[in-house]
């Protein structure tokens, strides 16, 4: 595991964008696993800037999103389909048929999960998987207790996750109770994983993910077993680590 520490969210986002952009330039047909939520937005904005300035192209890139709420149609304003369109896809030159997000209104969720895995396999597997991390250590919608061996599947969202996401909805009752998510094995199958985290509220989960017991009760801890995983963090997210951050930029290996 490699650990990159930047001063703040902006520089963390820039570092993540630089790393991924360099890989896209080297391998134009890169397969990217994408995440939603506030954490990757800074990186997405940097990608958009690079595309608009002619320094980067997603024309041959294929993307797979981690998850989608079960029960929300693609055009629902809080669906992850809508999120990705508004925050990234409509601003870059990615081809619509090269973007993949689970179908939240599928009549057969189990079949949809199997089809999603088939599509990932057909694309050659995910080259770089982008992740955030929840305060309880969840990655994607893999909540504490999820099987490390699970592929894409349906999950019931914990109340803590629903409450954390309720700010995007009119009321808590509107937050879906289930989602389709790539499983922990799906994530571990990626050739490289980049986990982004910012803010002191993530520091405990980050510390346990990097240095705690590898346990299904903290899903992100499985990343300790990945052969090519990079944590890209701001200083606040590593406030639990006993290191001097006055130098501004750190690289550590665990």
């Amino acid at each position: 595991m490699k650990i990159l520490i930047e001063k703040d969210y902006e520089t963390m986002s820039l570092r993540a964008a630089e790393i991924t952009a360099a890989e896209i330039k080297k391998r134009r047909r890169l397969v990217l696993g994408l995440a939603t939520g506030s954490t990757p937005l800074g990186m997405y904005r940097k990608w958009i800037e690079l595309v608009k300035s002619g320094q980067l192209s997603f024309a041959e890139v294929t993307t797979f999103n981690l998850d989608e709420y079960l029960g929300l149609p693609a055009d629902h304003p809080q669906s992850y389909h809508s999120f990705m369109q508004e925050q990234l896809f409509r601003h870059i030159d990615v081809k619509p048929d090269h973007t993949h997000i689970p179908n939240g209104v599928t009549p057969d969720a189990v079949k949809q999960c199997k089809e999603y895995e088939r599509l990932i396999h057909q694309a050659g597997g995910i080259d770089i998987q982008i992740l955030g991390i929840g305060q309880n250590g969840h990655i994607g919608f893999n909540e504490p207790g999820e099987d490390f061996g699970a592929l894409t599947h349906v999950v019931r969202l914990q109340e803590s996750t629903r409450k954390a996401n309720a700010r995007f909805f009119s009321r808590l009752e509107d937050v879906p109770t289930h989602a389709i998510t790539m499983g922990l094995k799906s994530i571990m199958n990626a050739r490289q994983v980049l986990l982004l985290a910012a803010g002191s509220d993530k520091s405990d989960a980050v510390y346990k993910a990097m240095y705690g017991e590898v346990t299904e009760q903290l899903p992100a801890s499985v990343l300790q077993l990945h052969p090519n995983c990079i944590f890209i963090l701001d200083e606040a997210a590593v406030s639990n680590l006993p290191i001097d951050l006055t130098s501004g930029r750190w690289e550590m290996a665990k």
Side-chain angles (χ1 to χ4, degrees), residues 28-243:
R28 293 178 302 173
R29 295 183 178 179
L30 198 77
V31 179
L32 274 175
L34 300 179
T36 53
S38 58
T39 302
L41 287 180
M43 180 184 67
Y44 293 165
R45 287 193 291 266
K46 300 296 182 184
W47 285 353
I48 292 167
E49 291 173 9
L50 291 171
V51 169
K52 289 186 174 180
S53 65
Q55 299 177 69
L56 185 64
S57 174
F58 285 78
E60 296 185 58
V61 171
T62 297
T63 70
F64 288 90
N65 264 74
L66 278 167
D67 41 35
E68 178 59 285
Y69 288 116
L70 201 58
L72 294 191
D75 60 357
H76 189 286
Q78 301 307 330
S79 75
Y80 289 156
H81 283 76
S82 292
F83 178 98
M84 293 305 302
Q85 287 298 327
E86 290 301 312
Q87 301 298 335
L88 182 63
F89 293 155
R90 72 183 183 90
H91 305 287
I92 61 174
D93 58 343
V94 68
K95 296 175 182 174
D97 62 349
H98 284 196
T99 65
H100 302 86
I101 304 174
N103 179 1
V105 291
T106 175
D108 188 334
V110 173
K111 184 177 180 180
Q112 164 68 187
C113 294
K114 292 179 179 177
E115 174 64 9
Y116 206 64
E117 286 291 331
R118 187 192 70 79
L119 289 171
I120 293 172
H121 179 76
Q122 181 177 288
I126 292 173
D127 293 307
I128 302 176
Q129 177 64 59
I130 307 298
L131 297 175
I133 184 171
Q135 292 182 32
N136 63 1
H138 76 250
I139 48 179
F141 270 134
N142 293 285
E143 301 280 14
E146 288 290 334
D147 184 353
F148 280 165
L151 295 171
T152 300
H153 62 295
V154 175
V155 293
R156 182 176 181 85
L157 303 180
Q158 289 195 354
E159 282 306 295
S160 59
T161 298
R162 294 183 67 239
K163 287 177 181 177
N165 291 348
R167 66 188 186 277
F168 303 115
F169 294 80
S170 299
R171 53 182 186 162
L172 177 60
E173 291 78 7
D174 295 333
V175 182
T177 58
H178 292 76
I180 293 175
T181 186
M182 285 189 201
L184 294 168
K185 185 174 181 180
S186 308
I187 292 168
M188 291 293 284
N189 283 341
R191 295 177 183 90
Q192 183 178 56
V193 173
L194 302 185
L195 184 143
L196 316 181
S200 58
D201 60 326
K202 299 293 180 72
S203 61
D204 185 56
V206 165
Y207 180 82
K208 290 177 180 176
M210 292 193 300
Y211 294 102
E213 177 188 358
V214 177
T215 170
E216 292 176 347
Q217 294 309 309
L218 194 106
S221 66
V222 74
L223 298 176
Q224 294 181 39
L225 307 179
H226 196 281
N228 189 8
C229 179
I230 303 176
F231 277 50
I232 308 177
L233 313 165
D234 75 351
E235 290 185 2
V238 294
S239 56
N240 283 356
L241 297 183
I243 55 176

Side-chain angles (χ1 to χ4, degrees), residues 5 235 238-239 241-252:
I5 304 170
E235 290 185 2
V238 294
S239 56
L241 297 183
I243 55 176
D244 178 9
L245 296 171
T246 56
S247 63
R249 170 175 277 194
W250 274 77
E251 294 191 16
M252 305 166 59

